[in-house]
Amino acid sequence: MTDQESVLQPVPDTAADDRPVVTENGGLRGGRCQSCGAGSFPRAYICPSCNSTEIHDAELPGEGSLYTWTTVHISPTFATPYTLGYIDLSDGLRLLAQVLAPQEQLRCDLPVRLATSDQSPTGWGFVPVEGATA
Amino acid sequence: MIQDNAASVIGGAMIKMGKHRESSYSGLAAPAALGALRDAGITKDEVGAVFCGHAFGGMLTGQRIVKELGIGDVPVTNVDNACSGGATAVHLAVRAIEDGHCDIALVIGVDKLTQFGGGTLPLVQEDPEVQNGIVMPAVYAMRARRFLHERDATVEDLAAVSVKARRHGAANPYAQFQSEVTVEQVLDSRPIADPLTLMQCCPTGDGAAAVVLMSERERKRRGAQGMRAAASVLHSGQFEAGFRDMLRPEISYHSARDAYEAAGFGPEDLDVVELHDAFTIAELVYYEALGLCEPGESVGLLRDGRTAYGGDVVVNPSGGLLSKGHPVGASGVAQVVEALWHLTDRAGARQVENAQRALTHVTGGGIAGLDHGACTIHLFERTA
Ligand SMILES: [Zn+2]
């Protein structure tokens, strides 16, 4: 394999994307495998399901439910306290993100939606859906 | 009939777990390595291979340690597998003996966490969850939150895990903490990641442990006693992009299933279990994963004292990581040493009476999309 075109090159990261996480439409900027349809966030470089590298930008749903959460009081990454949660998006993907909500409103399975926020150390996170029962 | 190439642990030693800021990696591990050789009744020249588990020791940690004992000219393999590093080294030693590469192997587990000055375990910044602020206590805290949501359980049940661990640890001269605590003290300690408080998290610590493994043929020839590795299982986590039941960590379930199948005995036959209680919630979740009870029954098992002295099986007689601390690469080997002491009636005040069979379990590592990066389970049986 000495053909110039066959020489493998590294990519900066398998999940690198400097663009804003929240799209203009309020969706989540992720990826979708063109071969098997699997979604990914951050956009994957290799599809873990089918190993295709044909993964295009895709807008993933910005709504989901809060599977679980914790308020973190010790961290080398950000000023504390901050709240993290696992969010199950409406299309089945799960991601870890900052959760921006008053403590009394937090509960498992709370409906949440994606939002840009300067209250979040990452600049984005999930907030309770208006009218969601606590 | 035990095969000639079956592997047994015939010697072991550990140093007192704690904060040993003045010690180097060799300073931590060399006493344990020498102790294991002496305990096994072998000389340094009889060691056919060395396996060293560590996460933060840097290049050639194993060689830096064994050169102090004058061991060389044999394969020395360094292993990182986060919290399973030490147990992975044991696994590789079992395999090396079973595959006939050597008859006697020395396994070392060591880590020094005080080098980071306290706080949470340093994670790899390349991971997207780490970039979003995950820390290991938060992983377990979220598991605890979901557990409290789905189960008839309270924060007092979580705290009861620490109370049991510290009660056991109070009788263990190798533990970092040798004092008992109450449910109130546990819950009143400062919050780390809600609902987990400080006393529900294993303390920062340094430590080292070592064991000597021997083939059955060699063991019989010498008449050495110890415990046979009836199963040695290592699994990695499976990536899952979507829903994952955090109360059913697949990696520990699968490892346990494979271990019991290999050993030919089950959880009901165990006398001693040393499991990965890095945080209180972990113990409750792992009771179920290891088959000590049915899914949904772990709180009752703890409340009824069935995992303490006098119960069905003594879980973490050493006091667990909650009492010893968790010097990542050392913990898996220290569990094996604890098991050896019980199965050879040398565990002193904390001896589990007439212990015949033991299980050791470590799992860990925080990676996005995985329960954990690695899980190792060993099953041991007293040699005849
Ligand atoms: Zn695909």
Side-chain angles (χ1 to χ4, degrees), chain B residues 292-293 297 300-315:
Chain B
L292 304 184
C293 64
E297 292 179 354
L301 196 72
L302 178 69
R303 281 182 190 161
D304 295 344
R306 290 168 58 195
T307 54
Y309 286 84
D312 310 351
V313 56
V314 183
V315 174

Side-chain angles (χ1 to χ4, degrees), chain A residues 33 35-38 47 49-52:
Chain A
C33 174
S35 175
C36 76
C47 174
S49 299
C50 74
N51 279 192
S52 166

Side-chain angles (χ1 to χ4, degrees), chain A residues 13 15 38-42 48-49 66-78 82-86 88 92-98 103 106-109 120-122 124, chain B residues 119-121 125-126 128-135 137-139 141-146 149-150 190-196 239-247 367-370:
Chain A
D13 192 1
S40 54
F41 175 81
S49 299
L66 183 63
Y67 176 71
T68 183
W69 88 96
T70 181
T71 298
V72 178
H73 298 272
I74 178 171
S75 170
T77 314
F78 302 126
Y82 57 85
T83 299
L84 291 175
Y86 276 118
D88 287 322
L93 270 187
R94 172 174 289 184
L95 71 151
L96 178 92
Q98 298 277 325
Q103 287 289 322
L106 288 167
R107 64 174 172 82
C108 290
D109 303 330
S120 164
T122 56
W124 63 281
Chain B
T120 58
L121 196 66
Q125 284 297 325
E126 289 185 358
E129 290 192 348
V130 174
Q131 292 162 9
N132 274 287
I134 200 81
V135 288
V139 174
M142 288 191 283
R143 199 171 275 170
R145 179 75 66 190
R146 190 72 198 183
H149 174 72
E150 290 189 20
R190 68 184 167 91
I192 298 297
D194 303 334
L196 300 181
F239 177 78
E240 169 55 59
F243 178 84
R244 171 186 290 287
D245 184 345
M246 288 184 83
L247 308 191
I367 302 180
L370 269 58

Side-chain angles (χ1 to χ4, degrees), chain B residues 8-13 32-44 46-47 103-107 210-214 218-219 222-226 340-341 346:
Chain B
S8 292
V9 179
I10 53 130
L34 183 62
L37 296 187
R38 286 181 175 160
D39 190 46
I42 64 163
T43 66
K44 65 186 175 75
E46 295 178 292
V47 173
D103 279 307
I104 300 178
L106 171 66
V107 176
V211 289
V212 171
L213 286 95
M214 194 175 271
E218 190 67 21
R219 189 187 73 77
R222 294 166 184 253
Q225 296 301 314
L340 177 69
W341 286 339
R346 295 184 293 156

Side-chain angles (χ1 to χ4, degrees), chain B residues 45-60:
Chain B
D45 301 322
E46 295 178 292
V47 173
V50 178
F51 299 91
C52 178
H54 68 94
F56 302 108
M59 285 191 285
L60 304 175

Side-chain angles (χ1 to χ4, degrees), chain B residues 284-343:
Chain B
L284 294 169
V285 168
Y286 296 143
Y287 284 169
E288 299 176 7
L290 301 178
L292 304 184
C293 64
E294 293 297 314
E297 292 179 354
S298 61
V299 170
L301 196 72
L302 178 69
R303 281 182 190 161
D304 295 344
R306 290 168 58 195
T307 54
Y309 286 84
D312 310 351
V313 56
V314 183
V315 174
N316 291 347
S318 69
L321 308 181
L322 289 167
S323 297
K324 284 182 298 188
H326 184 18
V328 183
S331 294
V333 183
Q335 289 179 333
V336 175
V337 174
E338 180 75 12
L340 177 69
W341 286 339
H342 286 281
L343 297 195

Side-chain angles (χ1 to χ4, degrees), chain B residues 49-75:
Chain B
V50 178
F51 299 91
C52 178
H54 68 94
F56 302 108
M59 285 191 285
L60 304 175
T61 295
Q63 286 88 333
R64 297 205 308 272
I65 296 161
V66 297
K67 78 149 198 200
E68 299 292 331
L69 282 69
I71 294 174
D73 208 22
V74 295

